[in-house]
Amino acid sequence: MGSRGRRRAGRAPEPEPEPQPEPQPLAAVAGGGGRAARRRLARKVRRRRRTRRAGELPLLVVVALCIALLLKTFLVQAFFIPSGSMEQTIRIGDRVLVDKLTPWFGSEVERGDVVVFKDPGGWLSGEAARPAADPVVVKQIKQTLTFIGLLPSADEQDLIKRVIGIGGDTVKCCDARGRVTVNGSPLDEPYVNPGNSPSEIRFEVRVPQGRLFVMGDHRANSADSRYHLDEAFQGTIDESGVVGEAVVIAWPFGHWHRLEQPATFRMVPDQARGGRRAPRRRRRCARFA
């Protein structure tokens, strides 16, 4: 019959394969069977996630505070308007955002800019209507938010006015039609509060270099440069005292608009350059034009 079914001589029999253990379900390996083990595992994962998030929260708060302080110090700061000296352009209680960045790049103040500046000394007397005092807890919260730049301060010793003349300009009131002139060029001032004349005070000031002649848009209710003509530098302010340029009314939403440079100042000749039109001191985008 041949060798079919017989073992060949000289060859050892092949070993039988060892049986492999059955794979255990994940839940059984985790220490129990079924849904209870899965729930315990899910709870453990959630606890670990909560612990990790709680550890990250202080770091996120510190980073947010640092960013807010940097914005307030170098970029943009909100200011509270306590008086009506800039009506109707800016009203009592408005919050304006002030650009503090561009001066760091050597930009200069231009005629027509609305600027916030430090009180040169006694200008705030009788002009700022301070708000009522807050309760102790509310006051502490507001001070904290103000410090980090999330809330404008109502206690800053600052003023806000419009720049009429820069160093070298001659600002005068008034011409035959009652208009303020800068270097002999009359200003058409649509921003002046309705019912106000350009100025009830007659003056002629040659603005020293490095200083600014400023006026409020509410000419009948603004203790501006005109009210300090008998002081040193004839009521002009030092450019170094300028905090920044007010660029937009941010609050309330109903008053929101950009604070643009009026076109009337573009035609003012630069007296220091022999009557030629003044060159642009800094490059502006369309919203400031």
mmCIF file of all heavy atoms in Angstrom, residues 197-228:
data_model
loop_
_atom_site.group_PDB
_atom_site.id
_atom_site.type_symbol
_atom_site.label_atom_id
_atom_site.label_comp_id
_atom_site.label_asym_id
_atom_site.label_seq_id
_atom_site.Cartn_x
_atom_site.Cartn_y
_atom_site.Cartn_z
ATOM 1 N N SER A 197 -19.950 130.593 19.544
ATOM 2 C CA SER A 197 -19.090 131.278 18.576
ATOM 3 C C SER A 197 -17.699 130.656 18.670
ATOM 4 O O SER A 197 -17.370 130.006 19.669
ATOM 5 C CB SER A 197 -19.030 132.775 18.903
ATOM 6 O OG SER A 197 -18.456 132.966 20.187
ATOM 7 N N PRO A 198 -16.854 130.831 17.648
ATOM 8 C CA PRO A 198 -15.514 130.257 17.716
ATOM 9 C C PRO A 198 -14.748 130.660 18.968
ATOM 10 O O PRO A 198 -14.009 129.862 19.537
ATOM 11 C CB PRO A 198 -14.850 130.775 16.445
ATOM 12 C CG PRO A 198 -15.989 130.956 15.488
ATOM 13 C CD PRO A 198 -17.129 131.438 16.333
ATOM 14 N N SER A 199 -14.941 131.902 19.425
ATOM 15 C CA SER A 199 -14.343 132.327 20.684
ATOM 16 C C SER A 199 -14.879 133.698 21.070
ATOM 17 O O SER A 199 -14.953 134.593 20.229
ATOM 18 C CB SER A 199 -12.809 132.376 20.598
ATOM 19 O OG SER A 199 -12.259 132.804 21.812
ATOM 20 N N GLU A 200 -15.241 133.849 22.328
ATOM 21 C CA GLU A 200 -15.637 135.151 22.856
ATOM 22 C C GLU A 200 -14.428 135.914 23.381
ATOM 23 O O GLU A 200 -14.523 137.088 23.710
ATOM 24 C CB GLU A 200 -16.658 134.969 23.977
ATOM 25 C CG GLU A 200 -17.987 134.349 23.534
ATOM 26 C CD GLU A 200 -18.787 135.263 22.635
ATOM 27 O OE1 GLU A 200 -18.510 136.496 22.635
ATOM 28 O OE2 GLU A 200 -19.690 134.774 21.925
ATOM 29 N N ILE A 201 -13.299 135.198 23.479
ATOM 30 C CA ILE A 201 -12.068 135.810 23.987
ATOM 31 C C ILE A 201 -11.164 136.149 22.809
ATOM 32 O O ILE A 201 -10.902 135.315 21.947
ATOM 33 C CB ILE A 201 -11.337 134.847 24.945
ATOM 34 C CG1 ILE A 201 -12.243 134.502 26.134
ATOM 35 C CG2 ILE A 201 -10.019 135.438 25.420
ATOM 36 C CD1 ILE A 201 -11.669 133.435 27.039
ATOM 37 N N ARG A 202 -10.694 137.397 22.761
ATOM 38 C CA ARG A 202 -9.765 137.820 21.722
ATOM 39 C C ARG A 202 -8.338 137.497 22.156
ATOM 40 O O ARG A 202 -7.971 137.733 23.306
ATOM 41 C CB ARG A 202 -9.909 139.328 21.474
ATOM 42 C CG ARG A 202 -11.321 139.749 21.101
ATOM 43 C CD ARG A 202 -11.633 139.355 19.687
ATOM 44 N NE ARG A 202 -13.055 139.574 19.366
ATOM 45 C CZ ARG A 202 -13.558 139.503 18.152
ATOM 46 N NH1 ARG A 202 -12.753 139.224 17.123
ATOM 47 N NH2 ARG A 202 -14.844 139.690 17.931
ATOM 48 N N PHE A 203 -7.561 136.990 21.219
ATOM 49 C CA PHE A 203 -6.187 136.629 21.574
ATOM 50 C C PHE A 203 -5.351 136.514 20.305
ATOM 51 O O PHE A 203 -5.870 136.387 19.190
ATOM 52 C CB PHE A 203 -6.163 135.297 22.335
ATOM 53 C CG PHE A 203 -6.699 134.132 21.548
ATOM 54 C CD1 PHE A 203 -5.882 133.392 20.691
ATOM 55 C CD2 PHE A 203 -8.047 133.775 21.631
ATOM 56 C CE1 PHE A 203 -6.381 132.328 19.962
ATOM 57 C CE2 PHE A 203 -8.546 132.706 20.904
ATOM 58 C CZ PHE A 203 -7.717 131.983 20.068
ATOM 59 N N GLU A 204 -4.050 136.545 20.495
ATOM 60 C CA GLU A 204 -3.077 136.234 19.446
ATOM 61 C C GLU A 204 -1.875 135.606 20.123
ATOM 62 O O GLU A 204 -1.230 136.238 20.962
ATOM 63 C CB GLU A 204 -2.671 137.475 18.660
ATOM 64 C CG GLU A 204 -1.709 137.140 17.518
ATOM 65 C CD GLU A 204 -1.436 138.333 16.613
ATOM 66 O OE1 GLU A 204 -2.082 139.392 16.811
ATOM 67 O OE2 GLU A 204 -0.582 138.214 15.701
ATOM 68 N N VAL A 205 -1.587 134.365 19.770
ATOM 69 C CA VAL A 205 -0.531 133.602 20.450
ATOM 70 C C VAL A 205 0.410 133.012 19.411
ATOM 71 O O VAL A 205 -0.040 132.363 18.455
ATOM 72 C CB VAL A 205 -1.127 132.476 21.324
ATOM 73 C CG1 VAL A 205 -0.012 131.612 21.903
ATOM 74 C CG2 VAL A 205 -1.987 133.065 22.426
ATOM 75 N N ARG A 206 1.694 133.227 19.631
ATOM 76 C CA ARG A 206 2.714 132.526 18.842
ATOM 77 C C ARG A 206 3.119 131.296 19.662
ATOM 78 O O ARG A 206 3.691 131.416 20.743
ATOM 79 C CB ARG A 206 3.909 133.433 18.604
ATOM 80 C CG ARG A 206 5.108 132.747 17.954
ATOM 81 C CD ARG A 206 4.880 132.447 16.504
ATOM 82 N NE ARG A 206 6.048 131.815 15.893
ATOM 83 C CZ ARG A 206 6.521 132.124 14.703
ATOM 84 N NH1 ARG A 206 5.916 133.055 13.981
ATOM 85 N NH2 ARG A 206 7.569 131.503 14.222
ATOM 86 N N VAL A 207 2.822 130.107 19.153
ATOM 87 C CA VAL A 207 3.031 128.874 19.904
ATOM 88 C C VAL A 207 4.519 128.526 19.915
ATOM 89 O O VAL A 207 5.133 128.379 18.853
ATOM 90 C CB VAL A 207 2.222 127.707 19.288
ATOM 91 C CG1 VAL A 207 2.391 126.442 20.139
ATOM 92 C CG2 VAL A 207 0.747 128.085 19.167
ATOM 93 N N PRO A 208 5.123 128.390 21.111
ATOM 94 C CA PRO A 208 6.554 128.017 21.172
ATOM 95 C C PRO A 208 6.766 126.603 20.637
ATOM 96 O O PRO A 208 5.863 125.761 20.650
ATOM 97 C CB PRO A 208 6.870 128.092 22.673
ATOM 98 C CG PRO A 208 5.779 128.935 23.265
ATOM 99 C CD PRO A 208 4.560 128.668 22.442
ATOM 100 N N GLN A 209 7.974 126.340 20.171
ATOM 101 C CA GLN A 209 8.316 125.002 19.695
ATOM 102 C C GLN A 209 8.169 123.992 20.840
ATOM 103 O O GLN A 209 8.540 124.268 21.976
ATOM 104 C CB GLN A 209 9.744 124.979 19.156
ATOM 105 C CG GLN A 209 9.941 125.781 17.891
ATOM 106 C CD GLN A 209 9.168 125.207 16.703
ATOM 107 O OE1 GLN A 209 8.868 124.019 16.665
ATOM 108 N NE2 GLN A 209 8.864 126.053 15.729
ATOM 109 N N GLY A 210 7.634 122.835 20.503
ATOM 110 C CA GLY A 210 7.456 121.788 21.509
ATOM 111 C C GLY A 210 6.222 121.960 22.367
ATOM 112 O O GLY A 210 6.034 121.226 23.334
ATOM 113 N N ARG A 211 5.355 122.922 21.994
ATOM 114 C CA ARG A 211 4.146 123.162 22.779
ATOM 115 C C ARG A 211 2.927 123.197 21.855
ATOM 116 O O ARG A 211 3.060 123.272 20.624
ATOM 117 C CB ARG A 211 4.255 124.450 23.591
ATOM 118 C CG ARG A 211 5.462 124.461 24.541
ATOM 119 C CD ARG A 211 5.436 125.641 25.480
ATOM 120 N NE ARG A 211 4.371 125.520 26.488
ATOM 121 C CZ ARG A 211 4.519 124.861 27.643
ATOM 122 N NH1 ARG A 211 5.660 124.251 27.937
ATOM 123 N NH2 ARG A 211 3.529 124.826 28.511
ATOM 124 N N LEU A 212 1.724 123.160 22.460
ATOM 125 C CA LEU A 212 0.475 123.067 21.707
ATOM 126 C C LEU A 212 -0.533 124.064 22.259
ATOM 127 O O LEU A 212 -0.620 124.271 23.481
ATOM 128 C CB LEU A 212 -0.118 121.653 21.812
ATOM 129 C CG LEU A 212 0.792 120.476 21.441
ATOM 130 C CD1 LEU A 212 0.148 119.161 21.860
ATOM 131 C CD2 LEU A 212 1.078 120.477 19.948
ATOM 132 N N PHE A 213 -1.311 124.669 21.353
ATOM 133 C CA PHE A 213 -2.441 125.512 21.748
ATOM 134 C C PHE A 213 -3.706 124.687 21.564
ATOM 135 O O PHE A 213 -3.988 124.220 20.454
ATOM 136 C CB PHE A 213 -2.499 126.784 20.886
ATOM 137 C CG PHE A 213 -3.454 127.829 21.393
ATOM 138 C CD1 PHE A 213 -3.028 128.802 22.283
ATOM 139 C CD2 PHE A 213 -4.786 127.839 20.991
ATOM 140 C CE1 PHE A 213 -3.910 129.774 22.755
ATOM 141 C CE2 PHE A 213 -5.667 128.786 21.452
ATOM 142 C CZ PHE A 213 -5.238 129.766 22.341
ATOM 143 N N VAL A 214 -4.468 124.485 22.643
ATOM 144 C CA VAL A 214 -5.618 123.573 22.613
ATOM 145 C C VAL A 214 -6.893 124.309 23.004
ATOM 146 O O VAL A 214 -6.875 125.255 23.796
ATOM 147 C CB VAL A 214 -5.400 122.363 23.549
ATOM 148 C CG1 VAL A 214 -4.224 121.524 23.081
ATOM 149 C CG2 VAL A 214 -5.181 122.800 24.997
ATOM 150 N N MET A 215 -8.002 123.851 22.415
ATOM 151 C CA MET A 215 -9.318 124.409 22.730
ATOM 152 C C MET A 215 -10.340 123.286 22.764
ATOM 153 O O MET A 215 -10.210 122.286 22.048
ATOM 154 C CB MET A 215 -9.718 125.464 21.674
ATOM 155 C CG MET A 215 -8.791 126.664 21.616
ATOM 156 S SD MET A 215 -9.119 127.772 20.205
ATOM 157 C CE MET A 215 -10.702 128.448 20.659
ATOM 158 N N GLY A 216 -11.366 123.459 23.613
ATOM 159 C CA GLY A 216 -12.469 122.513 23.645
ATOM 160 C C GLY A 216 -13.468 122.825 22.550
ATOM 161 O O GLY A 216 -13.583 123.976 22.109
ATOM 162 N N ASP A 217 -14.219 121.827 22.108
ATOM 163 C CA ASP A 217 -15.234 122.064 21.071
ATOM 164 C C ASP A 217 -16.438 122.821 21.628
ATOM 165 O O ASP A 217 -17.163 123.473 20.872
ATOM 166 C CB ASP A 217 -15.689 120.724 20.477
ATOM 167 C CG ASP A 217 -14.604 120.093 19.617
ATOM 168 O OD1 ASP A 217 -13.566 120.746 19.390
ATOM 169 O OD2 ASP A 217 -14.800 118.945 19.162
ATOM 170 N N HIS A 218 -16.681 122.717 22.928
ATOM 171 C CA HIS A 218 -17.737 123.495 23.576
ATOM 172 C C HIS A 218 -17.098 124.783 24.070
ATOM 173 O O HIS A 218 -16.743 124.937 25.234
ATOM 174 C CB HIS A 218 -18.339 122.699 24.746
ATOM 175 C CG HIS A 218 -19.641 123.239 25.243
ATOM 176 N ND1 HIS A 218 -20.127 124.492 24.884
ATOM 177 C CD2 HIS A 218 -20.574 122.701 26.085
ATOM 178 C CE1 HIS A 218 -21.289 124.696 25.472
ATOM 179 N NE2 HIS A 218 -21.580 123.634 26.211
ATOM 180 N N ARG A 219 -16.942 125.733 23.160
ATOM 181 C CA ARG A 219 -16.126 126.918 23.411
ATOM 182 C C ARG A 219 -16.641 127.753 24.588
ATOM 183 O O ARG A 219 -15.858 128.431 25.263
ATOM 184 C CB ARG A 219 -16.057 127.776 22.146
ATOM 185 C CG ARG A 219 -15.398 127.050 20.961
ATOM 186 C CD ARG A 219 -13.917 126.847 21.173
ATOM 187 N NE ARG A 219 -13.333 125.876 20.266
ATOM 188 C CZ ARG A 219 -12.954 126.119 19.011
ATOM 189 N NH1 ARG A 219 -13.123 127.323 18.489
ATOM 190 N NH2 ARG A 219 -12.406 125.169 18.291
ATOM 191 N N ALA A 220 -17.947 127.702 24.849
ATOM 192 C CA ALA A 220 -18.507 128.480 25.955
ATOM 193 C C ALA A 220 -18.371 127.769 27.298
ATOM 194 O O ALA A 220 -18.726 128.345 28.329
ATOM 195 C CB ALA A 220 -19.989 128.770 25.689
ATOM 196 N N ASN A 221 -17.851 126.526 27.276
ATOM 197 C CA ASN A 221 -17.762 125.750 28.515
ATOM 198 C C ASN A 221 -16.453 124.965 28.560
ATOM 199 O O ASN A 221 -16.433 123.803 28.912
ATOM 200 C CB ASN A 221 -18.957 124.792 28.616
ATOM 201 C CG ASN A 221 -19.013 124.068 29.950
ATOM 202 O OD1 ASN A 221 -18.617 124.618 30.978
ATOM 203 N ND2 ASN A 221 -19.499 122.836 29.948
ATOM 204 N N SER A 222 -15.372 125.617 28.176
ATOM 205 C CA SER A 222 -14.081 124.930 28.151
ATOM 206 C C SER A 222 -12.986 125.856 28.667
ATOM 207 O O SER A 222 -12.694 126.886 28.059
ATOM 208 C CB SER A 222 -13.738 124.483 26.718
ATOM 209 O OG SER A 222 -12.466 123.886 26.674
ATOM 210 N N ALA A 223 -12.397 125.481 29.803
ATOM 211 C CA ALA A 223 -11.296 126.254 30.382
ATOM 212 C C ALA A 223 -9.994 125.808 29.728
ATOM 213 O O ALA A 223 -9.171 125.127 30.327
ATOM 214 C CB ALA A 223 -11.248 126.063 31.898
ATOM 215 N N ASP A 224 -9.825 126.206 28.468
ATOM 216 C CA ASP A 224 -8.691 125.726 27.670
ATOM 217 C C ASP A 224 -7.569 126.754 27.643
ATOM 218 O O ASP A 224 -7.456 127.596 28.546
ATOM 219 C CB ASP A 224 -9.169 125.370 26.263
ATOM 220 C CG ASP A 224 -10.058 126.457 25.657
ATOM 221 O OD1 ASP A 224 -9.736 127.653 25.832
ATOM 222 O OD2 ASP A 224 -11.081 126.115 25.026
ATOM 223 N N SER A 225 -6.742 126.712 26.594
ATOM 224 C CA SER A 225 -5.590 127.611 26.516
ATOM 225 C C SER A 225 -5.981 129.076 26.599
ATOM 226 O O SER A 225 -5.212 129.903 27.119
ATOM 227 C CB SER A 225 -4.823 127.355 25.201
ATOM 228 O OG SER A 225 -4.195 126.098 25.210
ATOM 229 N N ARG A 226 -7.167 129.430 26.124
ATOM 230 C CA ARG A 226 -7.596 130.829 26.142
ATOM 231 C C ARG A 226 -7.720 131.378 27.557
ATOM 232 O O ARG A 226 -7.572 132.589 27.777
ATOM 233 C CB ARG A 226 -8.942 130.960 25.430
ATOM 234 C CG ARG A 226 -8.936 130.573 23.972
ATOM 235 C CD ARG A 226 -10.358 130.479 23.454
ATOM 236 N NE ARG A 226 -11.114 129.455 24.174
ATOM 237 C CZ ARG A 226 -12.447 129.398 24.235
ATOM 238 N NH1 ARG A 226 -13.168 130.341 23.632
ATOM 239 N NH2 ARG A 226 -13.045 128.429 24.897
ATOM 240 N N TYR A 227 -8.019 130.485 28.533
ATOM 241 C CA TYR A 227 -8.229 130.921 29.910
ATOM 242 C C TYR A 227 -6.929 130.972 30.708
ATOM 243 O O TYR A 227 -6.943 131.277 31.902
ATOM 244 C CB TYR A 227 -9.216 129.981 30.600
ATOM 245 C CG TYR A 227 -10.639 130.184 30.138
ATOM 246 C CD1 TYR A 227 -11.075 129.624 28.944
ATOM 247 C CD2 TYR A 227 -11.539 130.949 30.874
ATOM 248 C CE1 TYR A 227 -12.377 129.814 28.494
ATOM 249 C CE2 TYR A 227 -12.835 131.150 30.431
ATOM 250 C CZ TYR A 227 -13.243 130.575 29.236
ATOM 251 O OH TYR A 227 -14.544 130.776 28.800
ATOM 252 N N HIS A 228 -5.798 130.699 30.050
ATOM 253 C CA HIS A 228 -4.509 130.710 30.738
ATOM 254 C C HIS A 228 -3.490 131.548 29.968
ATOM 255 O O HIS A 228 -2.295 131.295 30.049
ATOM 256 C CB HIS A 228 -4.007 129.267 30.898
ATOM 257 C CG HIS A 228 -4.963 128.392 31.659
ATOM 258 N ND1 HIS A 228 -4.967 128.309 33.036
ATOM 259 C CD2 HIS A 228 -5.969 127.584 31.224
ATOM 260 C CE1 HIS A 228 -5.918 127.465 33.418
ATOM 261 N NE2 HIS A 228 -6.541 127.023 32.346
#
